[in-house]
């Protein structure tokens, strides 16, 4: 991998095509998420498409960056009220997470929570599967050993609290 050195800077930025494409896909994913949080799926969609194209060209569709793009695709499908598409993306995200990380990793928990949530949004939801997935996510988020620089305690605690509330809002089994 080649690196570019900026004058007066001790950084080394990757300049090979693959690294640039993956970095730009990450930036586009963040932009798509930005527009989704502002209820603008119409503006998020082009960024999702561009990010996916870059990840395909970089041959990085079996990567953590692809996982994060899938989470945005789930949100985009939810915003468009495309429930079946959201479930399909959530199942793909969980399958990818299982290939990338161990079950006790926060990425796996996020994937479980995503699928559990979208399953609850469909007509006649498979409540038992959704509850199991959400409980698995809560267990990982609540485990102090998952706290890291990337996943701080506040983020994990907030996730666990959100999913506990979601479970409490469900009708009793």
């Amino acid at each position: 991998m080649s690196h570019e050195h900026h004058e007066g800077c001790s950084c080394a930025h990757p300049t090979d095509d693959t690294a640039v494409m993956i970095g730009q896909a990450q930036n586009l994913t963040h932009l798509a998420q930005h527009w989704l949080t502002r209820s603008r799926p119409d503006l998020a969609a082009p960024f999702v498409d561009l990010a996916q194209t870059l990840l395909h060209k970089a041959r990085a569709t079996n990567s953590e960056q692809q996982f994060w793009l899938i989470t945005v695709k789930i949100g985009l499908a939810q915003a468009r009220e495309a429930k079946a598409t959201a479930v399909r993306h959530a199942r793909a995200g969980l399958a990818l997470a299982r290939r990338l990380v161990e079950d006790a990793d926060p990425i796996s928990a996020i994937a479980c929570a995503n699928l559990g949530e979208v399953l609850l949004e469909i007509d006649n939801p498979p409540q038992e599967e959704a509850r199991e997935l959400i409980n698995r996510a809560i267990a990982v988020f609540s485990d102090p050993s998952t706290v890291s620089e990337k996943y701080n305690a506040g983020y994990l605690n907030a996730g666990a609290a959100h999913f506990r509330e979601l479970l409490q809002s469900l009708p009793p089994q």
Side-chain angles (χ1 to χ4, degrees):
M1 173 186 291
S2 63
H3 292 281
E4 174 183 328
H5 184 75
H6 296 129
E7 279 302 313
C9 178
S10 62
C11 62
H13 299 279
T15 57
D16 69 82
D17 292 349
T18 299
V20 169
M21 285 188 283
I22 293 170
Q24 289 305 307
Q26 182 177 21
N27 291 337
L28 292 166
T29 301
H30 290 301
L31 286 169
Q33 183 63 42
H34 167 83
W35 290 115
L36 278 178
T37 60
R38 282 151 183 79
S39 301
R40 292 299 307 267
D42 58 317
L43 295 176
F47 293 112
V48 167
D49 294 341
L50 288 170
Q52 188 63 70
T53 298
L54 287 172
L55 290 176
H56 276 291
K57 288 186 183 286
R59 299 174 202 244
T61 55
N62 197 29
S63 66
E64 190 174 317
Q65 186 52 49
Q66 178 69 40
F67 172 80
W68 294 115
L69 181 58
I70 289 171
T71 65
V72 173
K73 287 181 176 185
I74 295 165
L76 184 58
Q78 288 172 306
R80 292 175 167 168
E81 297 184 21
K83 296 175 183 180
T85 301
V87 170
R88 190 180 79 243
H89 287 313
R91 288 197 187 282
L94 181 56
L96 179 57
R98 287 181 171 155
R99 288 192 304 272
L100 294 175
V101 298
E102 300 294 322
D103 284 344
D105 189 283
I107 285 178
S108 179
I110 292 165
C112 287
N114 286 342
L115 180 54
E117 262 192 305
V118 298
L119 286 175
L120 292 174
E121 293 174 2
I122 62 175
D123 297 328
N124 300 312
Q127 290 232 351
E128 192 171 316
E129 180 184 8
R131 286 177 193 272
E132 179 184 314
L133 289 162
I134 292 169
N135 277 322
R136 191 176 321 153
I138 290 169
V140 172
F141 288 158
S142 300
D143 182 349
S145 71
T146 59
V147 173
S148 67
E149 186 175 310
K150 189 174 182 180
Y151 301 103
N152 67 51
Y155 173 81
L156 295 171
N157 291 334
H162 169 75
F163 293 112
R164 281 187 192 99
E165 286 176 21
L166 179 63
L167 285 179
Q168 290 172 353
S169 72
L170 297 176
Q173 289 179 310

